[in-house]
Amino acid sequence: MRAMRIHEPGARLRLDDVPAPEPGPGQVRIRVAACGVNFADTLMTQGKYQLRPEPPFAPGGEVCGVVEALGPGVERPALGARVAAACGWGGFAEAVLAPAAACVEVPDAIPSDEAAAFLVAYGTSHMALDWKAGLRAGETLLVLGAAGGVGLTAVEVGKLMGARVIACASGPEKLALARSRGADHLIDSSAEDIREATLALGGADVVYDPVGGEQFRAAMRACRPDGRLLPIGFASGEVPQIPANILLVKNLTVIGFWWGAYPKLRPERVARSARQLIAWRLEGRLRPHVSDRLPLEQANEALDLLRTRRAMGKVVLIP
């Protein structure tokens, strides 16, 4: 099979011809129809992510495809089933191994590129907002990076949960995309003071932050008392240091959330979330936005779209 692999941290990926992997106990092999590209993949190729596989390896942690081989002890999903799966890495390839428990069957009504862009981004937003932050109807949700792969899904999921959504992104094109997904208020991070603009709207009960850096600090100071902050990622390149005195005075809670831990730690919760999200998608209540579809051999270009923050919505590779 073909795979786009990293051979040394920080180098460009190379197209390799390698044997298809054989599934072990509890695993399945999936013939990849599409692979979602995430900011985590850019970090993994640099050796800066929580998961650090030994090179050479293919990045790519979420795929959609057809199950073509079962490991020992696996009964479901069945051979030939069309599934979306969290695989950790390996998805930038024509076939990949995934835990059987992390596979979710995908209805034919959902195209493969959408399904490959669905599990991690929507799963992150749904589980973070619902399970971790306990977002309630009528509360105000501030979403930073609101036109990015996960930020845009937080806008949609927050609206479905009944929140008033403030979307923060850079420039009119990105803000228009956030508005199209239900944002009630818009803040241009390239031209406005995030703290002042949020406070002018009454402050935030929950902050969803895939950006980090100065934007996190501004949002923290725009929280209402008893606010909850979700650091989802650090696309700015800066991990913010959190002053405990502000947490104390405003009774704030910072809730770390890494979706990638839960396919192993709580696979039943991931599956439950995925079923809810797929139901919403089939009802037309979610509209995944895939901005770029690239062939497998253009994986480096796909990663560059995320590194430079030019992507809006999701980037997907098609083997």
Side-chain angles (χ1 to χ4, degrees):
M1 70 174 191
R2 298 182 309 149
M4 285 293 287
R5 301 197 301 171
I6 184 80
H7 286 258
E8 96 182 65
R12 303 284 280 178
L13 276 63
R14 300 201 318 238
L15 185 63
D16 294 333
D17 189 10
V18 298
E22 291 300 324
Q27 292 183 316
V28 299
R29 186 173 73 229
I30 298 169
R31 179 59 51 176
V32 178
C35 178
V37 184
N38 294 292
F39 191 76
D41 297 317
T42 70
L43 300 177
M44 193 178 290
T45 62
Q46 300 173 61
K48 296 179 179 179
Y49 194 56
Q50 297 97 314
L51 300 176
R52 297 187 181 182
E54 192 69 26
F57 69 91
E62 60 174 337
V63 300
C64 177
V66 174
V67 176
E68 65 176 11
L70 306 179
V74 175
E75 296 181 359
R76 297 201 63 82
L79 283 172
R82 184 166 174 265
V83 299
C87 51
W89 64 87
F92 287 15
E94 292 177 326
V96 67
L97 299 181
C103 295
V104 179
E105 295 203 26
V106 177
D108 290 340
I110 301 179
S112 294
D113 58 349
E114 284 191 13
F118 199 86
L119 203 58
V120 173
Y122 279 103
T124 293
S125 294
H126 182 237
M127 291 177 66
L129 294 174
D130 182 35
W131 176 35
K132 288 291 189 174
L135 178 67
R136 297 183 291 273
E139 289 191 311
T140 297
L141 168 67
L142 172 63
V143 180
L144 305 180
V150 290
L152 192 61
T153 66
V155 172
E156 286 189 277
V157 171
K159 281 299 292 182
L160 277 176
M161 294 176 66
R164 181 179 71 137
V165 178
I166 304 172
C168 178
S170 59
E173 186 179 6
K174 291 182 177 180
L175 290 172
L177 179 59
R179 172 76 82 186
S180 76
R181 294 309 192 266
D184 299 287
H185 304 281
L186 306 175
I187 297 174
D188 187 340
S189 60
S190 65
E192 299 179 72
D193 184 303
I194 293 173
R195 177 190 180 190
E196 294 303 320
T198 303
L199 288 173
L201 293 168
D205 297 297
V206 175
V207 173
Y208 184 98
D209 177 24
V211 178
E214 182 54 41
Q215 291 198 23
F216 179 91
R217 291 187 286 272
M220 179 175 60
R221 288 168 170 80
C223 280
R224 294 172 173 167
D226 290 323
R228 291 92 74 200
L229 299 100
L230 291 156
I232 299 298
F234 312 104
S236 68
E238 181 188 347
V239 178
Q241 303 304 301
I242 300 168
N245 61 314
I246 294 179
L247 303 185
L248 183 152
V249 170
K250 298 185 76 172
N251 288 302
L252 303 181
T253 303
V254 178
I255 309 166
F257 182 74
W258 175 39
W259 184 92
Y262 287 106
K264 286 187 177 180
L265 291 178
R266 300 291 295 274
E268 76 290 345
R269 188 173 283 276
V270 171
R272 187 187 319 152
S273 171
R275 287 192 294 269
Q276 175 64 78
L277 292 165
I278 287 172
W280 280 340
R281 168 62 182 83
L282 292 175
E283 293 166 3
R285 303 176 74 189
L286 296 177
R287 291 186 294 149
H289 182 73
V290 179
S291 60
D292 297 271
R293 298 165 180 84
L294 300 173
L296 179 63
E297 55 269 23
Q298 291 185 22
N300 287 305
E301 289 80 355
L303 292 171
D304 287 342
L305 286 171
L306 272 69
R307 289 191 187 101
T308 57
R309 299 180 68 180
R310 287 179 288 137
M312 295 196 301
K314 288 288 288 194
V315 177
V316 172
L317 289 179
I318 309 295

